[in-house]
């Protein structure tokens, strides 16, 4: 609620500043122009086409990252040998920003279709998920492991009834961080390596100096990111077995 | 004479203190016998290796040297036959009370349909009817430990090992649970081993008390508790109870004084400290 007040306040003062001639409308167009660009993009349906294209890439990259990162994280956490082989490699790959993969992604997947941007999204989403799963499983309390073993748990139960549920709050947090990274990276990838998506829409409008439309794309990115984060925060609360914490 | 369920012969166990690299001798040549079906307590000063001994019996730890036999065979690892009730309960916070009690049943591959009914039976045994679907954080300390007891019994163990199970509870809850455990023990014919530093609790509950020396832990003496049966709360004023208590207090005191004289740092002897079990 208070957040909404700040947003309105910013928009009102921005509009006022523009009307008073304090802002160069060429460099920073007023909200009214951006709003007009919104209705224009929305009416043509292109806004939704681009949004859907970006979302699809994020979801496919994120799902692939989930499928790869969670089992690897569990494996690395439960075996010292796997840890020794895997961690140095991953720690070397991790500092490479997802966008630095774009040249290779274009080479491998081409610029048409979704392959290149989905791949970039996968790279962005993989590491937070892997690290959170890994540390979640590593943080299992000694007493829970001992209890499980003295109650007769075999390997399967140790994994499914102890390790995974114990790590679940970590994994969901990892998912949230990954989604944020993935969303940022998909836009960056689309600036260069796509012919659709919000990033592409921004880049196209930039080349035509349609700054209000560029901002329309930026705001859509921000709002969508906000909604996704909020949804996953709810998920986090739903899947956390920890006693209710005061959030914020 | 009942046959022993556990036999320990000259068991040694040391730990390395990672902070200063000092090796800590927890047990130094401990020998004992625990009989089938008895209620026995292990008592000793802090740092005498009581919890170490219990963890060896449970199979969480292995002796450095010496022999530790369970029904004539070497203890090689944890087993639901020798289950543990923990001081901090050790309940899985992501499972309900019933889910926790179902855990050992699931480990035995009991079909899901039968599990729930069986779990409710044990929950009812510890008087927690109506709390089956609560999560541990919704339960009081005493109730959590009741779940812990129900879960241990659901293993259908031959031995129940208890590591200071009442230490985190208030006095009234503690006494109620003590009586409850005794009732369960007398009805089930299982062996119960209780580790405690609470002398009155040990005398009240046990048929035998094994008193450990100061570190490195060894058996100092074994005392039969020949109090009238059944044990009720008013037994604590029985002359024989008072006599046993003062005798054991003296013996325990000697050991505590030895630990102090040996300059064993209180920080190092904290029994509550977690014993790291290698993964």
């Amino acid at each position: 609620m208070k957040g909404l007040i700040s947003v309105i306040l910013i928009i009102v003062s921005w509009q006022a500043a523009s009307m008073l001639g304090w802002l160069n409308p060429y460099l920073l167009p007023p909200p009214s122009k951006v709003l007009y660009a919104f209705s224009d993009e929305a009416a043509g349906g292109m806004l939704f086409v681009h949004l859907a294209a970006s979302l699809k890439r994020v979801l496919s990259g994120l799902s692939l990252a989930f499928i790869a990162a969670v089992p690897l994280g569990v494996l690395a956490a439960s075996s010292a040998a796997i840890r020794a082989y895997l961690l140095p490699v991953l720690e070397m790959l991790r500092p490479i920003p997802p966008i630095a993969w774009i040249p290779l992604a274009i080479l491998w997947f081409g610029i048409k279709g979704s392959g290149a941007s989905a791949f970039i999204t996968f790279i962005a989403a993989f590491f937070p998920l892997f690290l959170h799963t890994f540390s979640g499983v590593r943080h299992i309390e000694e007493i829970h492991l001992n209890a499980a073993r003295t109650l007769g748990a075999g390997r399967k139960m140790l994994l499914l009834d102890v390790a995974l549920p114990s790590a679940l709050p970590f994994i969901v947090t990892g998912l949230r961080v990954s989604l944020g990274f993935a969303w940022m990276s998909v836009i960056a990838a689309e600036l260069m390596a796509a012919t659709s998506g919000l990033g592409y829409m921004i880049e196209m409008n930039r080349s035509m100096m349609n700054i209000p439309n560029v901002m329309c794309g930026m705001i859509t990115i921000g709002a969508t990111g906000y909604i996704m984060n909020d949804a996953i925060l709810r998920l986090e609360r739903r899947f956390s077995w920890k006693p209710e914490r005061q959030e914020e | 004479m009942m046959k022993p369920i556990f036999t320990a012969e000259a068991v040694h166990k040391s730990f390395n203190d990672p902070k200063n690299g000092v090796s800590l001798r927890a047990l130094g040549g401990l020998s004992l016998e625990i009989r089938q079906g008895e209620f026995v307590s292990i008592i000793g000063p802090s740092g005498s290796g009581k919890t170490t001994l219990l963890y060896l019996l449970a199979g969480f730890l292995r002796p450095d040297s010496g022999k530790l036999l369970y029904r004539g065979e070497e203890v090689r690892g944890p087993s639901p036959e020798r289950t543990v009730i923990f001081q901090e309960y050790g309940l899985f916070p992501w499972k309900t009370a019933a889910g926790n009690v179902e855990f050992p049943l699931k480990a035995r591959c009991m079909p899901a349909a039968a599990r729930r009914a069986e779990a409710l039976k044990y929950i009812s045994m510890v008087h927690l009817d109506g709390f089956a679907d609560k999560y541990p954080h919704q339960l009081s300390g005493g109730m959590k430990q009741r779940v812990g007891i129900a879960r241990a019994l659901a293993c259908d163990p031959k031995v129940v090992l208890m590591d200071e199970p009442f230490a985190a509870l208030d006095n009234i809850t503690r006494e109620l649970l003590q009586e409850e455990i005794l009732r369960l023990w007398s009805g089930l014919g299982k062996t119960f081993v209780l580790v405690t530093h609470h002398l009155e609790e040990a005398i009240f509950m046990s048929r035998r008390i094994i008193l450990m020396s100061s570190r490195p832990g060894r058996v100092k003496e074994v005392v039969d508790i020949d109090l009238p049966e059944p044990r009720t709360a008013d037994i604590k004023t029985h002359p024989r109870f008072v006599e046993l208590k003062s005798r054991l207090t003296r013996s325990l005191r000697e050991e505590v004084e030895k630990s102090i004289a040996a300059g064993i740092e209180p920080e190092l002897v904290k029994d509550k400290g977690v014993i790291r079990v290698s993964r």
Side-chain angles (χ1 to χ4, degrees):
Chain A
M1 195 56 221
K2 282 170 187 150
L4 195 64
I5 293 174
S6 347
V7 171
I8 291 171
L9 215 66
I10 290 171
I11 293 175
V12 168
S13 30
W14 172 12
Q15 180 72 38
S18 303
M19 286 164 82
L20 289 168
W22 294 351
L23 294 174
N24 180 344
Y26 209 66
L27 298 181
L28 189 66
S32 51
K33 279 258 177 74
V34 177
L35 200 67
Y36 181 78
F38 249 110
S39 63
D40 188 37
E41 291 277 1
M46 281 320 282
L47 182 63
F48 305 110
V49 172
H50 288 308
L51 177 62
S54 297
L55 280 175
K56 193 186 108 196
R57 287 163 190 156
V58 165
L59 288 182
S60 47
L62 190 68
S63 325
L64 282 175
F66 190 87
I67 293 166
V70 172
L72 271 178
V74 172
L75 268 176
S78 39
S79 151
I82 292 176
R83 205 152 54 233
Y85 282 108
L86 199 62
L87 285 192
V89 179
L90 290 179
E91 284 304 320
M92 207 108 80
L93 290 173
R94 191 161 70 97
I96 304 173
I99 48 171
W101 288 87
I102 288 178
L104 281 185
I106 293 175
L107 190 66
W108 292 345
F109 299 97
I111 209 156
K112 289 239 179 272
S114 290
S117 335
F119 173 74
I120 298 303
T121 314
F122 166 81
I123 299 276
F126 177 86
F127 291 100
L129 258 172
F130 172 81
L131 286 176
H132 277 83
T133 307
F134 175 73
S135 78
V137 176
R138 292 286 287 168
H139 276 87
I140 298 177
E141 286 182 48
E142 193 86 26
I143 192 168
H144 292 146
L145 275 184
N146 281 345
R149 297 196 305 154
T150 195
L151 297 170
R155 287 191 80 83
K156 192 178 155 206
M157 273 188 85
L158 274 176
L159 178 68
L160 296 180
D161 286 84
V162 184
L164 280 180
S166 173
L168 192 61
F170 288 78
I171 296 175
V172 179
T173 304
L175 202 60
R176 185 158 64 88
V177 178
S178 282
L179 183 61
F181 277 23
W183 189 234
M184 283 192 276
S185 310
V186 79
I187 306 299
E190 286 165 353
L191 287 173
M192 292 184 248
T195 51
S196 62
L198 291 170
Y200 170 75
M201 175 183 142
I202 288 177
E203 174 57 19
M204 196 180 59
N205 282 301
R206 183 204 60 81
S207 66
M208 298 186 293
M209 289 310 276
N210 277 336
I211 304 305
N213 297 59
V214 168
M215 296 189 63
C216 158
M218 289 170 68
I219 291 167
T220 308
I221 292 164
T224 311
Y226 180 88
I227 292 166
M228 290 194 298
N229 192 58
D230 192 62
I232 224 159
L233 267 175
R234 279 167 211 273
L235 201 71
E236 220 169 329
R237 255 165 278 175
R238 164 75 185 74
F239 279 107
S240 178
W241 42 261
K242 293 191 168 141
E244 292 286 316
R245 277 168 305 175
Q246 280 324 105
E247 293 276 352
E248 277 131 334
Chain B
M1 188 73 184
M2 278 176 279
K3 60 179 175 189
I5 192 158
F6 282 111
T7 314
E9 277 172 36
V11 168
H12 289 262
K13 182 73 195 172
S14 299
F15 295 101
N16 287 319
D17 189 331
K19 262 181 277 169
N20 46 21
V22 175
S23 171
L24 233 155
R25 288 177 68 204
L27 298 178
L30 174 133
S31 301
L32 58 72
E33 265 186 17
I34 291 170
R35 298 168 194 158
Q36 186 116 43
E38 75 172 334
F39 197 120
V40 62
S41 287
I42 297 165
I43 194 155
S46 297
S48 59
K50 306 185 290 282
T51 298
T52 305
L53 173 57
L54 197 86
Y55 275 29
L56 285 164
L57 298 179
F60 296 146
L61 300 169
R62 306 284 300 273
D64 296 338
S65 67
K67 256 202 300 195
L68 180 63
L69 305 179
Y70 165 70
R71 305 173 92 203
E73 278 179 44
E74 207 174 321
V75 175
R76 288 183 192 284
S79 150
E81 270 190 33
R82 294 169 270 115
T83 200
V84 179
I85 295 176
F86 297 89
Q87 178 181 343
E88 306 294 345
Y89 325 120
L91 300 181
F92 303 121
W94 50 86
K95 286 181 183 286
T96 59
N100 269 279
V101 178
E102 280 185 41
F103 190 95
L105 304 172
K106 192 171 174 187
R108 280 214 300 272
C109 302
M110 184 183 280
R115 257 183 351 236
R116 168 90 186 172
E118 185 78 0
L120 290 179
K121 202 183 83 191
Y122 286 104
I123 284 176
S124 178
M125 221 186 254
V126 295
H127 307 297
L128 277 181
D129 308 75
F131 292 93
D133 296 318
K134 296 270 186 246
Y135 283 87
H137 70 87
Q138 297 171 305
L139 301 173
S140 70
M143 288 161 105
K144 280 185 212 165
Q145 196 53 297
R146 282 171 196 271
V147 177
I149 294 164
R151 188 176 70 170
L153 294 179
C155 291
D156 193 20
K158 297 223 165 29
V159 185
V160 179
L161 302 164
M162 295 176 284
D163 182 18
E164 302 266 14
F166 317 117
L169 304 174
D170 66 85
N171 265 331
I172 303 286
T173 311
R174 175 185 262 257
E175 282 179 13
L176 284 174
L177 272 184
Q178 286 170 358
E179 286 165 33
E180 193 120 345
I181 295 245
L182 276 184
R183 179 178 60 81
L184 290 168
W185 169 70
S186 58
L188 293 170
K190 302 179 190 301
T191 311
F192 276 52
V193 181
L194 170 71
V195 158
T196 180
H197 60 262
H198 199 291
L199 195 52
E200 228 174 75
E201 172 173 293
I203 301 172
F204 174 63
M205 298 187 76
S206 327
R207 272 58 193 170
R208 230 155 51 99
I209 289 181
I210 295 172
L211 201 138
M212 292 185 57
S213 68
S214 62
R215 208 171 55 218
R218 243 166 310 185
V219 174
K220 184 186 181 195
E221 60 174 322
V222 179
V223 180
D224 286 309
I225 305 300
D226 45 0
L227 286 169
E229 307 280 344
R231 306 273 169 96
T232 49
D234 43 308
I235 213 163
K236 289 176 186 169
T237 53
H238 193 282
R240 180 69 184 141
F241 188 97
V242 177
E243 192 187 328
L244 281 165
K245 191 181 164 191
S246 74
R247 203 191 120 207
L248 282 160
T249 304
R250 261 199 314 279
S251 190
L252 191 59
R253 226 189 124 102
E254 272 173 31
E255 294 311 310
V256 174
E257 279 165 0
K258 269 188 223 162
S259 325
I260 294 168
I264 293 171
E265 290 173 61
E267 195 207 348
L268 289 176
V269 300
K270 247 194 184 163
D271 244 348
K272 275 175 94 176
V274 188
I275 294 181
R276 299 291 301 180
V277 175
S278 59
R279 298 201 184 165

